Amino acid sequence: MADKKCTIFIVDVGPTMWEVKRDGSEGSTALDLARKALLAMLEAKVTITSILRERLIVFGTDETSNQLNEQTGEYENITTLYPIEQPQLPILRTVNNNMPRGNVQADAFDAMIVSLNMIEEHCKKLKYTKKIYLFTDGESPINQYDFDRVSSQILSQNIELNILGVDFEDPDIRHSEENKTENKKRNEQFLRKLADKCKGTIFSMEYVLRQLSKPYIRPVKPTSVYRGTLTLGDPETYKSASLVIDVELIARSMKAKLKSFKKYSALAETANNIENKTYEVSQSRTYSITVDENVNEKVDVPQDELDRAYALGKTFIPISKQDENVFSFESSPCLSIISFIGKEEFRRELILLNVFTVVSKKDDPVAAQRLSSFIHVLYEKDSYAIVRFVKKNFEPPKLGVLIPYIKPPKECLYFARIPFKEDYRRFTFPSLDRIVSKTRKELEVHEYLPTEEMLNKMGKFIEDLDLMNAAIDDDGNPREYLKVKECFNPVNVMIKKAVSHKALYPEEPLPQPDPALKAQTRMLPSLVEKNKELVNEMRSLFKIKEVKGKGKTTKRRFADANVTVEQNLSLDQLLSNGKHEDLEKGKRSKTDNGDRENTLMLEKQEPIREVSLADPVGNFKEMIANREEDLVTTAVEQMCQVVEHFVKSSFGTSLYDKALECLNLLRETCAKENESELFNKFLRELKTIVFTTNPPRTNFWELLERNKLSLIINTEADDSMTTEKEAEEFLKMKLERKSIIETADEEQMPTDELLNLMDDD
């Protein structure tokens, strides 16, 4: 469980805070700056859960309202605006619109004593993270009495003290205020002494506002998502020869999700007879079935009386609750090592989703020693570990990789998910630096091949876009741009900002995105200017031209029937007794010979790129005839797969004739297109499949013998190395299928397999 937090905000509202205009901040007052900073702090915490407890105290007011004053009669001109509670919208509106302005210079030290009393009474001996924020300009007089007692109380209660001073000196941002009053100098010196004594921090308001302008990132307490063992080997069977380490998995990177906003019902707001209404939308579901098809009436059925159904094609298969356990994979929590892989062999793009840190079990020196040794071995061997991960019982197992990390004084393992074979999608693209003609000849000169000059220009362009020294820090030195810690999700930030803005200013339009958020989604202006000349050179060198869109498609659609299509008509069409009017209306004209032709537009069909099972011969011929792109090898490989599919899935001899037709066309084409070696390799593999499959397809090979369809020989194709004699022997030679019954133990084989073997014979 996260630690509870208690925070007290103390704001100086005396006359010096709101009467004196500051020239350095567009005429704003010190109270305006304090209010702006306090509002930014509270906005980030209003949406957080109820573990936060905060209180707002102001001093310098004309009236007095605090608990110590009621008890002792002292500590005057200090007012408690809000008790210690979860911050809500009213406190934001008070800070933004109704911040009090006093006419009395009260004591900041007294206000701090009041806050210490509140923290002591509220927190008692419970575990809290306690903080005090003091906003002041240091102009009000401070009574330094009881300095030692107050400072010791802050230390003993482990309270974090933060003093935010308006126009205070800050060497970190080189801020120094001149013409300070003696009272301000004395008070600032005292507050610095207090901060040093209590191990607190003092900030200038300018620095605070600069930091608060960045999006607020809520700190997250490390929480284990898995507590178990990291195992190597089988500790149950071979306990002495296995490695077992007690470890924990802690999330290192997680996707930041937006706050789940509650649905609001305007109907509930207008209702008058509802007590304790919450305006929330509650969802309910009812299930109904039709009992009689002849009667249009449905009956409500409880959910527990219904069975789930799963789609199989267009049919739904019901599965009873008793049979649903088949969908539950029996597994137990584990993090077991499957194998090891070299660092250079692992592909970084395979990492999925979140990253977790693997550390040893807390307060377990033996586990820490074992894990440290394992990390160092992986690190020294430049290796990663592939693991099987199950988080809890009956959860589907996941595949992951363990990556060693050593950077003194920190060492750990990083765990990341990697895909299974079914999850992996491999896409192949044509080479950018290698072009092969249809005759399988590699071209050295081609308009699509990059020259040495092109490669040099592109290399320089990549180097000039390096972000390691692209930005400039406050001292004018180059620094890295777009660090991970400086990049924020603009969607998350803008939604939070929009909700807060709409709550405070309901009638005003939403604010524009912060310029810093916009900048991180665009190219750095300095890089654009730096590479402007190089880009122009590359544009002319690569002959880059603007490709205009095709505009309106030429494909006929019903929705376009009433849209006039611009076209260039020929002279014959213009003199065809007004028949072109029909063309403008999207109709088809009929020629004198009675054949209908589409004279309005010609649809350019996409080229065939796949040999389908429905029309393999037609698809194959179209791919071979393609003169815009070399698809010969692709067509041959796909036709090989089609033939193999027909042979293996044929019911009896039903698909053998179709497979023979495809195989004849494939052989003829491969002989002409210098793909004979590819065909011969496939035919050898097909022969193995025919004789070794269960059941064997020997009758298909007899069909090839009758048609004398064998390997492509060297007299038919120049690229073939097979002789005529070898082709004849290949066709006649039969493969002997080894009997499984001779090598298998019948007592250990299932009955179904034995029956299948008997059927094969």
Side-chain angles (χ1 to χ4, degrees), residues 561-576:
N562 298 323
V563 179
T564 302
V565 181
E566 296 183 1
Q567 59 177 332
N568 295 324
L569 300 179
S570 64
L571 182 60
D572 294 336
Q573 291 172 334
L574 292 173
L575 299 177
S576 59

Side-chain angles (χ1 to χ4, degrees), residues 603-620:
E603 179 182 351
K604 184 179 179 181
Q605 298 181 352
E606 292 293 330
I608 300 297
R609 295 180 177 274
E610 182 179 359
V611 178
S612 65
L613 297 176
D615 185 19
V617 174
N619 297 152
F620 183 77

Side-chain angles (χ1 to χ4, degrees), residues 436-467:
V436 181
S437 65
K438 292 183 179 180
T439 60
R440 314 304 297 170
K441 180 181 179 182
E442 185 173 349
L443 302 180
E444 296 181 358
V445 179
H446 194 274
E447 60 178 337
Y448 294 151
L449 289 175
T451 63
E452 191 67 26
E453 185 180 4
M454 291 180 179
L455 295 175
N456 293 335
K457 292 286 185 184
M458 182 56 68
K460 187 176 186 308
F461 180 63
I462 294 175
E463 291 176 358
D464 289 347
L465 289 178
D466 185 16
L467 298 180

